[in-house]
Amino acid sequence: MLTKNFTHVNAANQPTMVDVGAKAPTRRVARARCRVVLGPELLARVQAGEMPSHKGPVLHTAILAGIMGAKRTSELIPLCHPLGLDDCKVTIEPDGPDALRVECTAVVTGRTGVEMEALTGATVAALTIYDMCKAFSHDITIDSVQLVEKTGGKQDFHRPENL
């Protein structure tokens, strides 16, 4: 049985922002990833840069969108603290013959973690790939959205790499 309570609920069972004012600022890092399955033909076209777009190259545009999404997480997820990120990196690499692996690493020196920023950054980058490629196919999936690791808070987390 779970003995923990939800953090964003007060004693009256109402939504509340977590008060982090008494916490000491620490360097906090979170890395999240997801997978965009495009199919082999569409993946090859994306990698070759053969996708004409007024928004720019698919992968570069997705990287920029992911960073922008991470920076605006508090505007999207209720009760997330607005954070001035120290750093945010999005990488997109092939993952097998038909997919891309999108990773976002967010860093802040602060009183609360950056897991939501890393997850949002990876997901927004993946959604941007979908948006830019949907004219060629709607048979695109985004899956395996997950926190890979976080450090610097009350408790570190590391997901085993084989998951």
Side-chain angles (χ1 to χ4, degrees):
M1 179 190 281
L2 293 175
T3 57
K4 291 185 176 188
N5 294 320
F6 285 106
T7 56
H8 290 87
V9 178
N10 66 16
N13 205 29
Q14 299 296 311
T16 187
M17 192 169 198
V18 175
D19 183 354
V20 298
K23 291 183 175 181
T26 59
R27 180 174 170 83
R28 295 161 184 263
V29 179
R31 184 168 53 103
R33 90 166 50 116
C34 64
R35 195 165 183 267
V36 183
V37 181
L38 297 167
E41 182 180 328
L42 188 50
L43 175 62
R45 292 185 72 181
V46 168
Q47 289 179 300
E50 297 174 9
M51 309 285 287
S53 166
H54 294 294
K55 295 180 185 181
V58 173
L59 300 183
H60 292 159
T61 304
I63 289 168
L64 290 172
I67 293 167
M68 291 169 64
K71 290 170 63 172
R72 299 186 74 163
T73 298
S74 67
E75 296 174 32
L76 301 169
I77 308 294
L79 304 175
C80 277
H81 290 83
L83 300 177
L85 296 178
D86 296 335
D87 192 16
C88 183
K89 289 185 177 39
V90 174
T91 60
I92 303 172
E93 298 177 352
D95 190 16
D98 63 349
L100 293 167
R101 182 179 60 248
V102 179
E103 285 196 2
C104 179
T105 303
V107 181
V108 71
T109 301
R111 293 178 167 93
T112 189
V114 289
E115 301 98 289
M116 296 310 301
E117 286 73 12
L119 287 160
T120 300
T123 305
V124 169
L127 288 168
T128 301
I129 294 168
Y130 184 100
D131 181 51
M132 295 181 74
C133 294
K134 70 181 183 232
F136 298 93
S137 173
H138 282 93
D139 191 23
I140 300 168
T141 61
I142 299 168
D143 61 33
S144 304
V145 179
Q146 59 189 283
L147 179 67
V148 177
E149 65 181 335
K150 75 171 204 79
T151 60
K154 193 183 323 182
Q155 181 177 332
D156 289 352
F157 171 83
H158 299 279
R159 182 177 304 280
E161 284 296 320
N162 59 354
L163 295 178

